[in-house]
Amino acid sequence: MLAPQLLSRGGVSLARISAASTRVMAVVVNAKNSLQRIETRNYFGTSKANFVDQFRFASTVCNAAQTPKVVVTAAEADHKAAMLKIQWGDGMTDVYPFIWLRDNCQCSQCFESSSLARKLLLQQLSRDVHPTSVQVTADGQGVGLEWSDGHSSVFSASWLDRRAFNNNRRNLRVQDIKLKKALWDSDRAKDLSQFSFSDLLTSDTELLKFLQQVEEYGLCIIKEAPPEPGQIERLTESIGHLKRTHYGLVFSVKIKANANNLAYTEKSLNLHVDQPYLEYKPGVQLLHCISQCEGHGGENILVDSFCVAEKLRQTQPEKFELLTDTLVDFYDVGVEEGVNFHVINQEPIIKLDKSGQVKTVSLNNMVRDSHFGCQPEHVMAWYDAMMTYHDLLSDPQYAITYKMAKGDIIVFDNNRVLHGRKGFHMTGGERHLEGCYWDWDVVRSRRRVLLADAGLN
């Protein structure tokens, strides 16, 4: 039987949260010290089986070396609630639904370890499955269950702890999926780190720090890339692969006659995200300065639209809500390299996730369509809200103004960081930028792989 004085973890003990938070912070701080590049390993040539073995090793053995060992002191089945109650060595408890445990049995009949894939089929599960016996291993490192369907399962203490149904573990899992955003204005942006192009190609320590900053702050500047085409593709080889759009894999930004995009002119560009007319618009954008023209103008302007959106939510909540509720049409029609395209998408200017946090901002006045599904009597209110948000975005206290030097690469979150450009007049030379996109799935995958390689996942 479980000891009657056990504290339930529906609300989590502050001591345990503190201990877990301390361990997580230590992992982040130690990443730069413990992560070393394995020069002989070709990541993209690694077989799935070998990588899965590395992942499992990093997730269990390596992690166990850095995290205090968890111990199960007691376990019992609560048949009324259909839950298994686990008592931990620190006196806290967690509960695990019977059906979830049976569904996630880790034995070779139910789970394929070489591919990390569940083999058990849903039709093989019984809704009323329950354990007929529960036993804790002598060392407290596992729990064995005999099931009503005749099957047997053994779960390690560390496996159960990492998947506990409590708020602390769920919050840690969210951070594994997506890092928490760090909002910035012009003052805070001064603290952002800059990275050396050569370091990112040769050091996984620097590459991990770079990926974390891009995800948390949405912005990073890379210095000293060779001022010639192909360098963003070289960097991409360390991350994953490029995202293709109807403008191709890599695009050049330079003055063009009969330009099909304002970016290919000397005109100023208002703050915007790229390609909101795509349902799955690019997640990360890179711009590499191959040459910078002589003359005035041409500075890039960068703004954290999430930071400004939160300011709007605080000061003008009704306008904020209007921008989250109203769908806006975006479109692009043209020809690129002999291929005709016509793309349309509807998005609110500010999109929220299920928890009410800002998820994406889609703002691009150049490709905002004249088609508008808003009710006529609400149009003026929407314009008022949109112009209020635009006025805040244009406030210098939120903006970074930066004229790229030859060899600079700006990397930014295209769902969050608005970019613009001051108009320019060339008195000599040529302004030539090369750009490309990454998907966030690719970037976050690489971050997790680097953490796993170092045993920090």
Side-chain angles (χ1 to χ4, degrees):
M1 295 291 291
L2 287 171
Q5 71 273 19
L6 286 178
L7 300 176
S8 171
R9 260 201 310 194
V12 187
S13 122
L14 290 178
R16 189 156 188 177
I17 290 177
S18 176
S21 299
T22 300
R23 292 197 297 270
V24 172
M25 288 303 296
V27 164
V28 174
V29 171
N30 289 333
K32 63 181 180 182
N33 298 322
S34 61
L35 186 60
Q36 296 180 350
R37 189 172 189 85
I38 305 173
E39 296 294 348
T40 58
R41 179 178 60 83
N42 183 341
Y43 167 67
F44 298 101
T46 302
S47 71
K48 179 174 182 179
N50 289 339
F51 174 67
V52 166
D53 288 342
Q54 294 169 8
F55 175 82
R56 292 179 67 84
F57 180 78
S59 299
T60 55
V61 178
C62 291
N63 192 69
Q66 301 186 33
T67 304
K69 184 179 293 186
V70 291
V71 176
V72 176
T73 57
E76 73 168 340
D78 181 346
H79 290 281
K80 184 176 181 180
M83 302 278 186
L84 179 71
K85 293 183 179 179
I86 297 289
Q87 173 184 314
W88 301 102
D90 62 1
M92 307 308 292
T93 63
D94 279 306
V95 295
Y96 300 84
F98 290 162
I99 195 168
W100 176 85
L101 286 165
R102 181 64 188 90
D103 182 42
N104 288 282
C105 176
Q106 298 291 290
C107 81
S108 60
Q109 293 178 13
C110 301
F111 189 79
E112 183 57 66
S113 60
S114 63
S115 60
L116 301 178
R118 180 183 289 104
K119 295 161 65 176
L120 184 68
L121 304 177
L122 277 175
Q123 57 265 38
Q124 295 175 304
L125 274 177
S126 170
R127 289 177 172 84
D128 61 357
V129 70
H130 59 276
T132 57
S133 71
V134 180
Q135 185 173 0
V136 178
T137 60
D139 60 1
Q141 291 302 295
V143 178
L145 302 173
E146 297 290 336
W147 292 102
S148 55
D149 62 3
H151 194 70
S152 300
S153 301
V154 177
F155 299 95
S156 72
S158 60
W159 189 93
L160 289 168
D161 178 54
R162 287 171 64 89
R163 291 158 180 80
F165 288 79
N166 62 65
N167 292 335
N168 185 40
R169 278 301 180 196
R170 285 176 173 172
N171 289 337
L172 291 176
R173 177 61 173 169
V174 168
Q175 285 297 293
D176 188 38
I177 298 170
K178 294 181 181 180
L179 298 182
K180 185 177 181 180
K181 307 295 185 187
L183 305 185
W184 50 266
D185 55 19
S186 58
D187 286 334
R188 287 200 64 192
K190 297 173 184 176
D191 299 327
L192 291 177
S193 300
Q194 295 184 351
F195 292 85
S196 160
F197 181 80
S198 61
D199 286 349
L200 294 181
L201 297 186
T202 58
S203 169
D204 278 359
T205 302
E206 289 298 296
L207 189 61
L208 176 60
K209 288 163 59 179
F210 160 72
L211 294 176
Q212 288 172 327
Q213 178 167 306
V214 172
E215 190 169 352
E216 291 174 355
Y217 290 89
L219 175 64
C220 189
I221 295 175
I222 302 171
K223 306 292 289 185
E224 300 174 347
E228 57 192 38
Q231 302 312 304
I232 50 180
E233 294 161 293
R234 287 181 64 200
L235 178 61
T236 300
E237 291 174 0
S238 299
I239 307 296
H241 55 81
L242 297 169
K243 177 180 177 66
R244 181 182 292 277
T245 72
H246 49 278
Y247 288 109
L249 287 174
V250 176
F251 55 89
S252 289
V253 181
K254 58 173 69 173
I255 302 300
K256 295 181 181 180
N258 300 316
N260 64 348
N261 191 305
L262 284 178
Y264 305 149
T265 72
E266 295 179 335
K267 299 181 185 299
S268 62
L269 298 178
N270 274 353
L271 290 169
H272 65 283
V273 299
D274 271 20
Q275 306 194 8
Y277 40 72
L278 298 178
E279 184 173 358
Y280 301 104
K281 70 174 181 281
V284 180
Q285 181 169 179
L286 292 80
L287 289 173
H288 174 213
C289 183
I290 295 174
S291 62
Q292 183 62 271
C293 66
E294 299 174 10
H296 296 292
E299 293 89 350
N300 292 88
I301 305 168
L302 301 153
V303 175
D304 184 354
S305 69
F306 285 17
C307 178
V308 181
E310 291 303 329
K311 181 67 173 179
L312 182 66
R313 193 203 305 248
Q314 294 168 11
T315 59
Q316 306 271 359
E318 68 289 344
K319 295 182 180 181
F320 176 87
E321 184 175 357
L322 195 56
L323 294 181
T324 65
D325 290 344
T326 307
L327 290 177
V328 177
D329 288 34
F330 298 95
Y331 79 112
D332 193 16
V333 179
V335 181
E336 187 71 16
E337 296 184 353
V339 178
N340 297 325
F341 59 85
H342 183 177
V343 285
I344 303 173
N345 185 41
Q346 289 184 322
E347 294 281 338
I349 296 298
I350 301 172
K351 181 185 288 187
L352 306 180
D353 63 19
K354 290 183 179 180
S355 66
Q357 299 300 307
V358 178
K359 182 178 181 180
T360 65
V361 167
S362 296
L363 193 157
N364 188 321
N365 206 51
M366 295 172 285
V367 296
R368 180 166 52 81
D369 205 339
S370 53
H371 290 277
F372 195 20
C374 185
Q375 294 298 317
E377 61 270 22
H378 298 150
V379 168
M380 187 61 234
W382 181 87
Y383 271 94
D384 180 43
M386 185 66 246
M387 294 167 77
T388 300
Y389 186 36
H390 183 269
D391 289 344
L392 283 173
L393 290 165
S394 302
D395 190 324
Q397 70 173 305
Y398 297 111
I400 300 173
T401 301
Y402 181 80
K403 187 165 185 176
M404 298 179 71
K406 186 166 61 174
D408 286 355
I409 301 176
I410 296 180
V411 184
F412 54 92
D413 183 345
N414 189 54
N415 289 314
R416 170 185 174 186
V417 175
L418 304 183
H419 65 290
R421 183 190 71 199
K422 292 185 178 181
F424 59 94
H425 177 67
M426 294 190 299
T427 59
E430 179 187 44
R431 187 179 191 272
H432 180 196
L433 306 183
E434 192 170 65
C436 70
Y437 303 109
W438 295 336
D439 271 328
W440 269 117
D441 287 331
V442 174
V443 174
R444 293 188 177 110
S445 170
R446 188 64 175 131
R447 167 176 59 80
R448 296 184 199 111
V449 168
L450 290 172
L451 286 170
D453 282 347
L456 300 174
N457 192 342

